[in-house]
Short mmCIF file of all heavy atoms in Angstrom, two decimals:
data_model
loop_
_atom_site.label_atom_id
_atom_site.label_comp_id
_atom_site.label_asym_id
_atom_site.label_seq_id
_atom_site.Cartn_x
_atom_site.Cartn_y
_atom_site.Cartn_z
N MET X 1 99.47 102.74 91.14
CA MET X 1 100.81 103.05 90.72
C MET X 1 100.97 102.60 89.26
O MET X 1 100.63 101.49 88.90
CB MET X 1 101.80 102.33 91.62
CG MET X 1 103.22 102.55 91.22
SD MET X 1 104.46 102.11 92.45
CE MET X 1 104.06 100.46 92.92
N GLY X 2 101.50 103.48 88.43
CA GLY X 2 101.71 103.19 87.01
C GLY X 2 102.92 102.31 86.79
O GLY X 2 103.74 102.09 87.67
N ARG X 3 103.03 101.81 85.58
CA ARG X 3 104.17 100.98 85.22
C ARG X 3 105.37 101.84 84.84
O ARG X 3 105.22 102.97 84.41
CB ARG X 3 103.82 100.11 84.01
CG ARG X 3 102.93 98.98 84.36
CD ARG X 3 102.71 98.15 83.14
NE ARG X 3 101.28 98.24 82.87
CZ ARG X 3 100.73 98.20 81.69
NH1 ARG X 3 101.46 98.09 80.63
NH2 ARG X 3 99.44 98.29 81.54
N LYS X 4 106.57 101.27 84.96
CA LYS X 4 107.78 101.96 84.53
C LYS X 4 107.87 101.83 83.01
O LYS X 4 107.76 100.73 82.46
CB LYS X 4 109.00 101.34 85.18
CG LYS X 4 110.29 102.04 84.85
CD LYS X 4 111.46 101.38 85.58
CE LYS X 4 112.74 102.12 85.29
NZ LYS X 4 113.27 101.85 83.98
N LEU X 5 108.08 102.95 82.35
CA LEU X 5 108.14 102.95 80.90
C LEU X 5 109.52 102.52 80.41
O LEU X 5 110.53 102.89 80.98
CB LEU X 5 107.83 104.36 80.38
CG LEU X 5 106.48 104.94 80.77
CD1 LEU X 5 106.37 106.38 80.29
CD2 LEU X 5 105.36 104.11 80.19
N LYS X 6 109.55 101.72 79.33
CA LYS X 6 110.82 101.32 78.74
C LYS X 6 111.43 102.47 77.94
O LYS X 6 112.63 102.61 77.86
CB LYS X 6 110.63 100.12 77.81
CG LYS X 6 110.42 98.82 78.51
CD LYS X 6 110.41 97.69 77.50
CE LYS X 6 110.29 96.37 78.19
NZ LYS X 6 110.35 95.26 77.24
N TYR X 7 110.56 103.25 77.32
CA TYR X 7 111.01 104.34 76.46
C TYR X 7 110.36 105.63 76.96
O TYR X 7 109.16 105.68 77.19
CB TYR X 7 110.62 104.08 75.01
CG TYR X 7 111.09 102.71 74.55
CD1 TYR X 7 110.20 101.64 74.46
CD2 TYR X 7 112.42 102.49 74.26
CE1 TYR X 7 110.64 100.39 74.07
CE2 TYR X 7 112.87 101.24 73.88
CZ TYR X 7 111.97 100.19 73.79
OH TYR X 7 112.41 98.96 73.41
N SER X 8 111.16 106.66 77.10
CA SER X 8 110.66 107.92 77.62
C SER X 8 109.79 108.63 76.59
O SER X 8 109.82 108.31 75.40
CB SER X 8 111.82 108.83 78.01
OG SER X 8 112.51 109.28 76.85
N GLN X 9 109.05 109.61 77.06
CA GLN X 9 108.20 110.40 76.18
C GLN X 9 109.06 111.10 75.13
O GLN X 9 108.70 111.14 73.95
CB GLN X 9 107.41 111.43 76.99
CG GLN X 9 106.52 112.31 76.13
CD GLN X 9 105.77 113.35 76.94
OE1 GLN X 9 105.97 113.48 78.14
NE2 GLN X 9 104.90 114.07 76.28
N ALA X 10 110.21 111.61 75.54
CA ALA X 10 111.10 112.31 74.61
C ALA X 10 111.60 111.38 73.50
O ALA X 10 111.68 111.78 72.34
CB ALA X 10 112.27 112.91 75.37
N GLN X 11 111.93 110.13 73.86
CA GLN X 11 112.39 109.17 72.86
C GLN X 11 111.29 108.86 71.85
O GLN X 11 111.54 108.77 70.65
CB GLN X 11 112.83 107.87 73.53
CG GLN X 11 114.14 107.96 74.27
CD GLN X 11 114.46 106.68 75.00
OE1 GLN X 11 113.61 106.11 75.69
NE2 GLN X 11 115.70 106.23 74.86
N LYS X 12 110.08 108.70 72.33
CA LYS X 12 108.96 108.38 71.45
C LYS X 12 108.65 109.54 70.51
O LYS X 12 108.44 109.33 69.30
CB LYS X 12 107.72 108.04 72.27
CG LYS X 12 107.85 106.73 73.04
CD LYS X 12 106.63 106.50 73.90
CE LYS X 12 106.75 105.25 74.74
NZ LYS X 12 105.56 105.03 75.58
N VAL X 13 108.62 110.75 71.04
CA VAL X 13 108.34 111.93 70.21
C VAL X 13 109.44 112.10 69.17
O VAL X 13 109.15 112.35 67.99
CB VAL X 13 108.19 113.19 71.09
CG1 VAL X 13 108.14 114.44 70.23
CG2 VAL X 13 106.95 113.09 71.95
N GLN X 14 110.70 111.95 69.58
CA GLN X 14 111.81 112.10 68.63
C GLN X 14 111.75 111.03 67.55
O GLN X 14 112.02 111.32 66.37
CB GLN X 14 113.15 112.05 69.36
CG GLN X 14 114.34 112.37 68.48
CD GLN X 14 114.26 113.76 67.89
OE1 GLN X 14 114.00 114.73 68.60
NE2 GLN X 14 114.47 113.89 66.60
N ALA X 15 111.38 109.81 67.91
CA ALA X 15 111.25 108.75 66.93
C ALA X 15 110.17 109.09 65.90
O ALA X 15 110.38 108.90 64.69
CB ALA X 15 110.90 107.43 67.63
N CYS X 16 109.05 109.62 66.35
CA CYS X 16 107.97 110.00 65.44
C CYS X 16 108.39 111.15 64.53
O CYS X 16 108.12 111.13 63.33
CB CYS X 16 106.72 110.38 66.23
SG CYS X 16 105.97 109.00 67.08
N ILE X 17 109.08 112.13 65.09
CA ILE X 17 109.54 113.27 64.30
C ILE X 17 110.54 112.81 63.24
O ILE X 17 110.46 113.22 62.07
CB ILE X 17 110.16 114.35 65.21
CG1 ILE X 17 109.06 115.00 66.05
CG2 ILE X 17 110.91 115.40 64.39
CD1 ILE X 17 109.57 115.91 67.14
N ASP X 18 111.47 111.94 63.62
CA ASP X 18 112.47 111.43 62.67
C ASP X 18 111.80 110.66 61.54
O ASP X 18 112.20 110.79 60.38
CB ASP X 18 113.49 110.54 63.37
CG ASP X 18 114.44 111.31 64.26
OD1 ASP X 18 114.52 112.55 64.11
OD2 ASP X 18 115.12 110.68 65.09
N TYR X 19 110.79 109.86 61.87
CA TYR X 19 110.11 109.07 60.84
C TYR X 19 109.29 109.97 59.91
O TYR X 19 109.38 109.84 58.68
CB TYR X 19 109.21 108.02 61.47
CG TYR X 19 108.51 107.17 60.43
CD1 TYR X 19 109.16 106.10 59.85
CD2 TYR X 19 107.21 107.46 60.03
CE1 TYR X 19 108.54 105.33 58.88
CE2 TYR X 19 106.59 106.70 59.06
CZ TYR X 19 107.25 105.63 58.49
OH TYR X 19 106.63 104.88 57.53
N VAL X 20 108.51 110.87 60.48
CA VAL X 20 107.63 111.73 59.68
C VAL X 20 108.44 112.66 58.78
O VAL X 20 108.06 112.91 57.63
CB VAL X 20 106.67 112.53 60.60
CG1 VAL X 20 105.92 113.58 59.83
CG2 VAL X 20 105.71 111.58 61.29
N SER X 21 109.58 113.14 59.28
CA SER X 21 110.40 114.05 58.47
C SER X 21 111.20 113.30 57.40
O SER X 21 111.78 113.93 56.53
CB SER X 21 111.35 114.84 59.37
OG SER X 21 112.31 113.98 59.94
N GLY X 22 111.25 111.99 57.48
CA GLY X 22 111.96 111.19 56.49
C GLY X 22 113.44 110.99 56.78
O GLY X 22 114.17 110.47 55.95
N LYS X 23 113.89 111.38 57.96
CA LYS X 23 115.30 111.23 58.33
C LYS X 23 115.68 109.78 58.52
O LYS X 23 116.78 109.37 58.18
CB LYS X 23 115.62 112.01 59.60
CG LYS X 23 115.58 113.50 59.44
CD LYS X 23 115.94 114.17 60.75
CE LYS X 23 115.83 115.69 60.61
NZ LYS X 23 116.09 116.34 61.91
N LYS X 24 114.77 109.00 59.11
CA LYS X 24 115.06 107.61 59.44
C LYS X 24 113.84 106.74 59.14
O LYS X 24 112.71 107.20 59.19
CB LYS X 24 115.42 107.45 60.92
CG LYS X 24 116.64 108.23 61.34
CD LYS X 24 116.89 108.08 62.82
CE LYS X 24 118.04 108.95 63.27
NZ LYS X 24 118.21 108.94 64.71
N SER X 25 114.10 105.47 58.90
CA SER X 25 113.00 104.52 58.72
C SER X 25 112.61 103.95 60.08
O SER X 25 113.33 104.08 61.07
CB SER X 25 113.44 103.38 57.80
OG SER X 25 114.40 102.57 58.43
N ALA X 26 111.47 103.30 60.12
CA ALA X 26 111.00 102.69 61.37
C ALA X 26 111.97 101.61 61.83
O ALA X 26 112.23 101.47 63.03
CB ALA X 26 109.61 102.12 61.19
N LYS X 27 112.54 100.89 60.88
CA LYS X 27 113.48 99.83 61.23
C LYS X 27 114.75 100.42 61.84
O LYS X 27 115.28 99.88 62.82
CB LYS X 27 113.81 99.02 59.99
CG LYS X 27 114.54 97.75 60.27
CD LYS X 27 114.58 96.86 59.05
CE LYS X 27 115.05 95.49 59.46
NZ LYS X 27 114.83 94.50 58.44
N GLN X 28 115.26 101.53 61.30
CA GLN X 28 116.44 102.18 61.85
C GLN X 28 116.19 102.67 63.27
O GLN X 28 117.04 102.50 64.16
CB GLN X 28 116.86 103.37 60.98
CG GLN X 28 117.45 103.00 59.65
CD GLN X 28 117.69 104.22 58.79
OE1 GLN X 28 116.91 105.16 58.81
NE2 GLN X 28 118.76 104.19 58.01
N ILE X 29 115.03 103.26 63.48
CA ILE X 29 114.68 103.77 64.81
C ILE X 29 114.59 102.62 65.81
O ILE X 29 115.10 102.70 66.93
CB ILE X 29 113.36 104.55 64.76
CG1 ILE X 29 113.53 105.82 63.89
CG2 ILE X 29 112.90 104.93 66.16
CD1 ILE X 29 112.24 106.49 63.53
N ALA X 30 113.96 101.52 65.40
CA ALA X 30 113.82 100.36 66.28
C ALA X 30 115.18 99.78 66.64
O ALA X 30 115.42 99.38 67.79
CB ALA X 30 112.96 99.30 65.60
N GLN X 31 116.11 99.76 65.70
CA GLN X 31 117.45 99.25 65.98
C GLN X 31 118.19 100.18 66.94
O GLN X 31 118.90 99.70 67.84
CB GLN X 31 118.24 99.11 64.68
CG GLN X 31 117.79 97.94 63.84
CD GLN X 31 118.48 97.88 62.49
OE1 GLN X 31 119.12 98.83 62.07
NE2 GLN X 31 118.33 96.75 61.81
N GLU X 32 118.04 101.49 66.77
CA GLU X 32 118.71 102.43 67.68
C GLU X 32 118.19 102.29 69.10
O GLU X 32 118.95 102.45 70.06
CB GLU X 32 118.48 103.86 67.20
CG GLU X 32 119.26 104.23 65.97
CD GLU X 32 118.98 105.64 65.51
OE1 GLU X 32 118.19 106.36 66.17
OE2 GLU X 32 119.55 106.02 64.48
N LEU X 33 116.90 102.02 69.25
CA LEU X 33 116.30 101.89 70.58
C LEU X 33 116.37 100.45 71.11
O LEU X 33 115.84 100.16 72.17
CB LEU X 33 114.84 102.37 70.56
CG LEU X 33 114.65 103.85 70.26
CD1 LEU X 33 113.16 104.18 70.15
CD2 LEU X 33 115.29 104.71 71.31
N LYS X 34 117.00 99.56 70.35
CA LYS X 34 117.17 98.15 70.73
C LYS X 34 115.84 97.50 71.08
O LYS X 34 115.65 96.96 72.17
CB LYS X 34 118.16 98.04 71.88
CG LYS X 34 119.54 98.53 71.50
CD LYS X 34 120.49 98.45 72.66
CE LYS X 34 121.84 98.93 72.19
NZ LYS X 34 122.33 100.08 72.87
N MET X 35 114.90 97.56 70.13
CA MET X 35 113.55 97.07 70.37
C MET X 35 113.34 95.61 69.99
O MET X 35 112.32 95.04 70.32
CB MET X 35 112.54 97.92 69.59
CG MET X 35 112.49 99.34 70.06
SD MET X 35 111.37 100.28 69.05
CE MET X 35 110.14 100.69 70.26
N GLY X 36 114.24 95.00 69.28
CA GLY X 36 114.08 93.61 68.89
C GLY X 36 113.46 93.46 67.51
O GLY X 36 113.37 94.41 66.73
N LYS X 37 113.03 92.22 67.22
CA LYS X 37 112.54 91.87 65.88
C LYS X 37 111.39 92.74 65.39
O LYS X 37 111.41 93.24 64.29
CB LYS X 37 112.06 90.42 65.86
CG LYS X 37 113.10 89.41 65.63
CD LYS X 37 112.42 88.06 65.47
CE LYS X 37 113.43 86.94 65.46
NZ LYS X 37 112.79 85.65 65.37
N ARG X 38 110.36 92.84 66.17
CA ARG X 38 109.14 93.52 65.74
C ARG X 38 109.05 94.94 66.28
O ARG X 38 107.96 95.49 66.43
CB ARG X 38 107.92 92.72 66.18
CG ARG X 38 107.84 91.31 65.60
CD ARG X 38 107.60 91.28 64.11
NE ARG X 38 106.32 91.88 63.83
CZ ARG X 38 106.01 92.48 62.70
NH1 ARG X 38 106.86 92.55 61.74
NH2 ARG X 38 104.82 93.01 62.52
N GLY X 39 110.16 95.56 66.52
CA GLY X 39 110.18 96.92 67.03
C GLY X 39 109.58 97.93 66.07
O GLY X 39 108.95 98.90 66.49
N ASP X 40 109.75 97.67 64.76
CA ASP X 40 109.20 98.60 63.78
C ASP X 40 107.68 98.66 63.84
O ASP X 40 107.09 99.71 63.60
CB ASP X 40 109.69 98.29 62.37
CG ASP X 40 109.39 96.87 61.92
OD1 ASP X 40 109.21 95.99 62.78
OD2 ASP X 40 109.35 96.65 60.70
N ALA X 41 107.04 97.57 64.21
CA ALA X 41 105.58 97.56 64.36
C ALA X 41 105.16 98.48 65.51
O ALA X 41 104.17 99.21 65.40
CB ALA X 41 105.07 96.14 64.61
N ARG X 42 105.95 98.48 66.57
CA ARG X 42 105.66 99.37 67.70
C ARG X 42 105.86 100.83 67.29
O ARG X 42 105.09 101.70 67.68
CB ARG X 42 106.55 99.03 68.89
CG ARG X 42 106.18 99.84 70.12
CD ARG X 42 107.02 99.51 71.31
NE ARG X 42 106.85 98.12 71.69
CZ ARG X 42 107.61 97.51 72.58
NH1 ARG X 42 108.58 98.16 73.18
NH2 ARG X 42 107.41 96.25 72.89
N ILE X 43 106.88 101.09 66.48
CA ILE X 43 107.13 102.44 65.98
C ILE X 43 105.93 102.92 65.16
O ILE X 43 105.48 104.07 65.31
CB ILE X 43 108.42 102.49 65.12
CG1 ILE X 43 109.65 102.10 65.93
CG2 ILE X 43 108.60 103.87 64.49
CD1 ILE X 43 110.03 103.05 67.03
N TYR X 44 105.40 102.06 64.32
CA TYR X 44 104.23 102.44 63.51
C TYR X 44 103.03 102.78 64.40
O TYR X 44 102.28 103.70 64.10
CB TYR X 44 103.86 101.33 62.53
CG TYR X 44 104.86 101.14 61.42
CD1 TYR X 44 105.40 99.90 61.14
CD2 TYR X 44 105.27 102.21 60.64
CE1 TYR X 44 106.31 99.72 60.12
CE2 TYR X 44 106.20 102.06 59.62
CZ TYR X 44 106.71 100.80 59.36
OH TYR X 44 107.62 100.64 58.36
N LYS X 45 102.85 102.05 65.50
CA LYS X 45 101.77 102.36 66.44
C LYS X 45 101.99 103.72 67.09
O LYS X 45 101.05 104.49 67.26
CB LYS X 45 101.67 101.28 67.53
CG LYS X 45 101.10 99.98 67.03
CD LYS X 45 101.02 98.96 68.15
CE LYS X 45 100.54 97.63 67.65
NZ LYS X 45 100.48 96.62 68.71
N TRP X 46 103.23 104.00 67.46
CA TRP X 46 103.56 105.31 68.03
C TRP X 46 103.24 106.42 67.05
O TRP X 46 102.66 107.44 67.41
CB TRP X 46 105.03 105.40 68.39
CG TRP X 46 105.48 104.57 69.55
CD1 TRP X 46 104.72 103.81 70.40
CD2 TRP X 46 106.82 104.40 69.99
NE1 TRP X 46 105.50 103.19 71.33
CE2 TRP X 46 106.81 103.53 71.10
CE3 TRP X 46 108.04 104.89 69.54
CZ2 TRP X 46 107.96 103.17 71.78
CZ3 TRP X 46 109.20 104.52 70.21
CH2 TRP X 46 109.14 103.66 71.33
N ILE X 47 103.61 106.22 65.79
CA ILE X 47 103.40 107.24 64.76
C ILE X 47 101.91 107.48 64.55
O ILE X 47 101.46 108.63 64.42
CB ILE X 47 104.09 106.83 63.46
CG1 ILE X 47 105.61 106.85 63.66
CG2 ILE X 47 103.69 107.75 62.30
CD1 ILE X 47 106.38 106.11 62.61
N LYS X 48 101.13 106.41 64.54
CA LYS X 48 99.68 106.55 64.38
C LYS X 48 99.08 107.35 65.54
O LYS X 48 98.29 108.27 65.33
CB LYS X 48 99.04 105.16 64.29
CG LYS X 48 97.59 105.19 63.95
CD LYS X 48 97.06 103.78 63.77
CE LYS X 48 95.58 103.81 63.43
NZ LYS X 48 95.04 102.46 63.27
N SER X 49 99.47 107.03 66.77
CA SER X 49 98.96 107.75 67.93
C SER X 49 99.43 109.20 67.92
O SER X 49 98.66 110.11 68.22
CB SER X 49 99.46 107.10 69.22
OG SER X 49 98.92 105.82 69.37
N TYR X 50 100.68 109.41 67.55
CA TYR X 50 101.25 110.76 67.50
C TYR X 50 100.53 111.63 66.47
O TYR X 50 100.26 112.80 66.73
CB TYR X 50 102.73 110.67 67.19
CG TYR X 50 103.45 111.99 67.13
CD1 TYR X 50 103.79 112.68 68.29
CD2 TYR X 50 103.80 112.56 65.91
CE1 TYR X 50 104.46 113.88 68.25
CE2 TYR X 50 104.47 113.77 65.85
CZ TYR X 50 104.80 114.43 67.02
OH TYR X 50 105.46 115.62 66.97
N SER X 51 100.19 111.05 65.32
CA SER X 51 99.53 111.83 64.28
C SER X 51 98.10 112.21 64.67
O SER X 51 97.60 113.25 64.26
CB SER X 51 99.53 111.07 62.95
OG SER X 51 98.77 109.90 63.05
N VAL X 52 97.46 111.39 65.50
CA VAL X 52 96.08 111.67 65.92
C VAL X 52 96.04 112.58 67.15
O VAL X 52 95.29 113.55 67.18
CB VAL X 52 95.33 110.34 66.21
CG1 VAL X 52 93.96 110.61 66.80
CG2 VAL X 52 95.21 109.52 64.94
N HIS X 53 96.86 112.28 68.16
CA HIS X 53 96.76 112.96 69.46
C HIS X 53 97.91 113.91 69.76
O HIS X 53 97.84 114.65 70.75
CB HIS X 53 96.68 111.93 70.58
CG HIS X 53 95.54 110.98 70.45
ND1 HIS X 53 94.23 111.35 70.66
CD2 HIS X 53 95.50 109.67 70.11
CE1 HIS X 53 93.45 110.31 70.45
NE2 HIS X 53 94.19 109.28 70.11
N GLY X 54 98.99 113.85 69.00
CA GLY X 54 100.15 114.69 69.30
C GLY X 54 101.00 114.10 70.41
O GLY X 54 100.82 112.94 70.80
N ALA X 55 101.92 114.89 70.91
CA ALA X 55 102.87 114.40 71.91
C ALA X 55 102.21 114.03 73.24
O ALA X 55 102.76 113.27 74.03
CB ALA X 55 103.94 115.45 72.16
N SER X 56 101.01 114.54 73.49
CA SER X 56 100.34 114.25 74.76
C SER X 56 99.96 112.77 74.91
O SER X 56 99.73 112.31 76.03
CB SER X 56 99.09 115.11 74.91
OG SER X 56 98.15 114.79 73.90
N CYS X 57 99.91 112.03 73.82
CA CYS X 57 99.55 110.61 73.91
C CYS X 57 100.64 109.78 74.60
O CYS X 57 100.38 108.67 75.04
CB CYS X 57 99.24 110.03 72.54
SG CYS X 57 100.66 109.91 71.44
N PHE X 58 101.85 110.34 74.73
CA PHE X 58 102.95 109.60 75.35
C PHE X 58 103.18 109.98 76.80
O PHE X 58 104.15 109.51 77.40
CB PHE X 58 104.24 109.83 74.55
CG PHE X 58 104.16 109.37 73.13
CD1 PHE X 58 104.52 110.22 72.09
CD2 PHE X 58 103.72 108.11 72.81
CE1 PHE X 58 104.46 109.82 70.78
CE2 PHE X 58 103.65 107.69 71.48
CZ PHE X 58 104.03 108.54 70.48
N GLU X 59 102.34 110.80 77.37
CA GLU X 59 102.52 111.19 78.77
C GLU X 59 102.30 109.99 79.68
O GLU X 59 101.46 109.14 79.41
CB GLU X 59 101.55 112.30 79.13
CG GLU X 59 101.87 113.62 78.46
CD GLU X 59 100.87 114.71 78.76
OE1 GLU X 59 99.93 114.47 79.54
OE2 GLU X 59 101.04 115.80 78.21
N GLU X 60 103.08 109.93 80.74
CA GLU X 60 103.00 108.81 81.67
C GLU X 60 101.68 108.84 82.43
O GLU X 60 101.27 109.87 82.93
CB GLU X 60 104.16 108.87 82.66
CG GLU X 60 104.24 107.67 83.55
CD GLU X 60 105.48 107.69 84.45
OE1 GLU X 60 106.32 108.58 84.28
OE2 GLU X 60 105.54 106.82 85.33
N LYS X 61 101.02 107.71 82.50
CA LYS X 61 99.76 107.58 83.23
C LYS X 61 100.05 107.28 84.68
O LYS X 61 100.98 106.54 85.01
CB LYS X 61 98.91 106.44 82.64
CG LYS X 61 98.75 106.46 81.13
CD LYS X 61 97.81 107.52 80.68
CE LYS X 61 97.43 107.39 79.23
NZ LYS X 61 98.42 107.75 78.25
N LYS X 62 99.29 107.84 85.58
CA LYS X 62 99.49 107.60 87.02
C LYS X 62 98.92 106.26 87.47
O LYS X 62 99.39 105.66 88.41
CB LYS X 62 98.82 108.72 87.84
CG LYS X 62 99.45 110.07 87.58
CD LYS X 62 100.88 110.10 88.05
CE LYS X 62 101.49 111.46 87.76
NZ LYS X 62 102.92 111.48 87.88
N ASN X 63 97.88 105.78 86.77
CA ASN X 63 97.25 104.52 87.13
C ASN X 63 97.16 103.62 85.90
O ASN X 63 97.10 104.10 84.78
CB ASN X 63 95.81 104.76 87.63
CG ASN X 63 95.78 105.58 88.88
OD1 ASN X 63 96.61 105.43 89.76
ND2 ASN X 63 94.82 106.49 88.97
N ASN X 64 97.13 102.31 86.12
CA ASN X 64 96.89 101.38 85.03
C ASN X 64 95.46 101.56 84.53
O ASN X 64 94.57 101.90 85.30
CB ASN X 64 97.10 99.94 85.47
CG ASN X 64 98.55 99.62 85.67
OD1 ASN X 64 99.42 100.23 85.05
ND2 ASN X 64 98.82 98.64 86.52
N GLN X 65 95.26 101.35 83.27
CA GLN X 65 93.93 101.53 82.68
C GLN X 65 93.04 100.34 82.94
O GLN X 65 93.29 99.26 82.66
CB GLN X 65 94.04 101.76 81.17
CG GLN X 65 94.79 103.01 80.83
CD GLN X 65 94.03 104.28 81.17
OE1 GLN X 65 92.84 104.35 80.94
NE2 GLN X 65 94.70 105.25 81.74
#
């Protein structure tokens, strides 16, 4: 059984699109999603994965890795 995700696939994809298009900064996105102090670091990880693998990298896994 997989873990429950804090942020949906749609939220992650939208965050990446907003950052890449220049609409919002990583810090603004982290504040909107209430991620805490180091939320912008997590946003940067999402963006890196999104740029390499596309939206499919955020699909929910059925089993823990």
Side-chain angles (χ1 to χ4, degrees):
M1 178 165 52
R3 285 184 243 148
K4 183 178 182 284
L5 302 175
K6 285 187 177 183
Y7 308 102
S8 70
Q9 179 181 5
Q11 287 175 313
K12 292 176 183 179
V13 170
Q14 187 60 48
C16 292
I17 291 170
D18 288 344
Y19 181 82
V20 171
S21 67
K23 290 181 183 176
K24 299 177 185 174
S25 69
K27 192 168 193 167
Q28 288 173 324
I29 295 167
Q31 288 174 346
E32 287 178 2
L33 295 175
K34 297 178 179 119
M35 295 177 115
K37 275 187 190 177
R38 299 292 297 153
D40 56 337
R42 186 179 299 170
I43 299 293
Y44 291 127
K45 287 180 184 179
W46 290 355
I47 293 163
K48 187 175 180 181
S49 294
Y50 181 77
S51 65
V52 173
H53 302 288
S56 64
C57 68
F58 300 129
E59 291 177 3
E60 186 175 353
K61 311 286 191 287
K62 296 295 179 194
N63 297 321
N64 287 333
Q65 297 290 318

